[in-house]
Amino acid sequence: MRNHVRYLDVLLAAWWAGLVAVPINAKLHPLEAQWILDNAQARWAFVTNDVMGLGDDTTGPAVFSGIERQVDVDSPESEALWATPGSSNPSLGMCASQHAPPHPCNGDDLAWLFYTSGTTGRPKGVMLTHRNLRTMGMGYFVDVDSVSPTDRIVYAAPMSHGNGLYAIPHLMAGAVHVVPPSGGFDADELFDLGFALGPLSLFAAPTIVNRIVACAQTRGLSADDCARAFKTIVYGGAPMYAADIQRALHVMGPRFVQIYGQGETPMTGTVLSRHHLSDSAHPRHAQRVASIGVAQTPVHIRIAAEDGAELPAGEIGEVLVRGDSVMAGYWRNP
């Protein structure tokens, strides 16, 4: 399912019902998605026509195997799920009475199966609990950015991963959620949305940041213009060259925050704050800009040798993270 206005509806409905969400990157091949569905033992699938080819007159709808129900979120079937509050019909599943309380969940209950990219083999289902997600959300307010009900987060990157995880602190704060009409990334579209709706916050990979900066330059926008379109751009997921972030700061001003983490401790590891990035008078500014910042508040981080012993500053080793954001384990893969 691509980024869609129904995405958060499905996510929150699942949690309200006490279910586990398994967001899948829409760019995966359907066979790759099928493997994840089988591994996760999923029962329902919510999809979009442009990804699954539903309703194709020549081949018929593409349907995942092994699940009980597949719903095209743009179909009348989907609309019926959301438009029948108070129904006692069990076949409607997620459409319980509007007065029904949310299913009681404990902090250690599973909330989200976050499938890794599978760089060392098959993707692994990272078991994220409600405590993990709550810790990540609250850590955002402390370390990354403040959020108010008048703020707006835009989903240009896939909501199945880091971008969608950042929906959680913005839901906590009652902010506005914006899905671009394109359903993806288009720098001109994002600037137009920002100018029309008010400054946007978003999560982006460094390559996307570079394209946003290039768009601002092509349009001849000043840093003040960029401030009207964007409040905060959080970047991560890949290395950011120091020269690129320096250029971004020069063109767009202090709009940027860097985070370093992974699915196993979602969006929570280290942070290079807006202050660190913009404090050009600091004697170690160049070193700071080339770094990944400092440990976020909810976690303890150390660099260790192969035997687990802590290494002195300046040595290369393994990044170890401890805290309430760290996953419960890998699904069906101890």
Side-chain angles (χ1 to χ4, degrees):
M1 176 175 166
R2 64 172 166 82
N3 288 0
H4 191 283
V5 291
R6 283 289 187 214
Y7 210 107
L8 295 180
D9 290 340
V10 174
L11 196 64
L12 292 173
W15 291 335
W16 187 282
L19 307 178
V20 179
V22 190
I24 297 176
N25 192 335
K27 293 182 179 180
L28 292 182
H29 187 280
L31 292 177
E32 295 174 305
Q34 180 71 63
W35 186 91
I36 290 175
L37 287 173
D38 291 341
N39 183 263
Q41 302 169 305
R43 293 171 55 194
W44 282 39
F46 290 87
V47 303
T48 49
N49 185 14
D50 54 350
V51 175
M52 285 299 294
L54 292 173
D56 188 317
D57 292 335
T58 58
T59 62
V63 179
F64 287 117
S65 64
I67 61 167
E68 296 174 11
R69 190 166 181 179
Q70 178 167 306
V71 180
D72 173 3
V73 294
D74 290 311
S75 68
E77 177 189 14
S78 173
E79 290 304 311
L81 286 174
W82 308 110
T84 344
S87 172
S88 59
N89 184 348
S91 69
L92 292 177
M94 301 178 76
C95 193
S97 166
Q98 61 181 338
H99 301 297
H103 185 277
C105 292
N106 296 315
D108 292 330
D109 289 346
L110 188 59
W112 182 318
L113 281 182
F114 184 106
Y115 275 82
T116 66
S117 57
T119 52
T120 57
R122 289 287 195 178
K124 296 183 289 293
V126 174
M127 299 166 62
L128 299 180
T129 67
H130 286 274
R131 177 177 290 106
N132 294 154
L133 297 180
R134 183 169 64 246
T135 300
M136 180 271 301
M138 296 178 73
Y140 184 96
F141 303 133
V142 177
D143 299 310
V144 181
D145 200 19
S146 61
V147 184
S148 76
T150 59
D151 284 334
R152 294 156 175 77
I153 181 171
V154 64
Y155 300 104
M159 295 175 73
S160 55
H161 287 75
N163 202 20
L165 285 164
Y166 271 165
I168 292 171
H170 288 81
L171 286 163
M172 287 177 168
V176 177
H177 303 261
V178 181
V179 178
S182 69
F185 170 75
D186 180 282
D188 279 307
E189 180 182 44
L190 291 179
F191 272 105
D192 292 343
L193 285 170
F195 290 138
L197 301 176
L200 306 171
S201 295
L202 76 153
F203 174 75
T207 54
I208 298 300
V209 172
N210 291 338
R211 290 165 65 184
I212 293 173
V213 173
C215 181
Q217 290 179 304
T218 300
R219 293 174 66 150
L221 301 176
S222 68
D224 288 341
D225 294 329
C226 294
R228 291 193 294 113
F230 293 101
K231 177 195 175 195
T232 302
I233 299 176
V234 182
Y235 65 92
M240 170 68 87
Y241 291 108
D244 287 341
I245 190 59
Q246 293 279 27
R247 178 171 70 110
L249 291 164
H250 174 74
V251 172
M252 298 185 64
R255 318 254 70 77
F256 301 94
V257 180
Q258 180 184 207
I259 65 101
Y260 167 77
Q262 61 187 113
E264 288 83 345
T265 173
M267 312 302 278
T268 311
T270 69
V271 62
L272 189 62
S273 70
R274 191 189 311 258
H275 169 72
H276 286 143
L277 284 166
S278 60
D279 185 14
S280 58
H282 194 279
R284 297 175 63 197
H285 183 247
Q287 184 178 354
R288 281 179 163 185
V289 167
S291 78
I292 56 167
V294 300
Q296 291 190 36
T297 302
V299 296
H300 175 73
I301 296 180
R302 62 189 180 93
I303 309 300
E306 289 186 6
D307 62 359
E310 187 163 355
L311 291 170
E315 295 295 315
I316 295 173
E318 185 174 19
V319 181
L320 302 184
V321 184
R322 183 181 69 197
D324 282 348
S325 63
V326 176
M327 67 171 183
Y330 292 116
W331 176 252
R332 302 173 65 194
N333 188 4

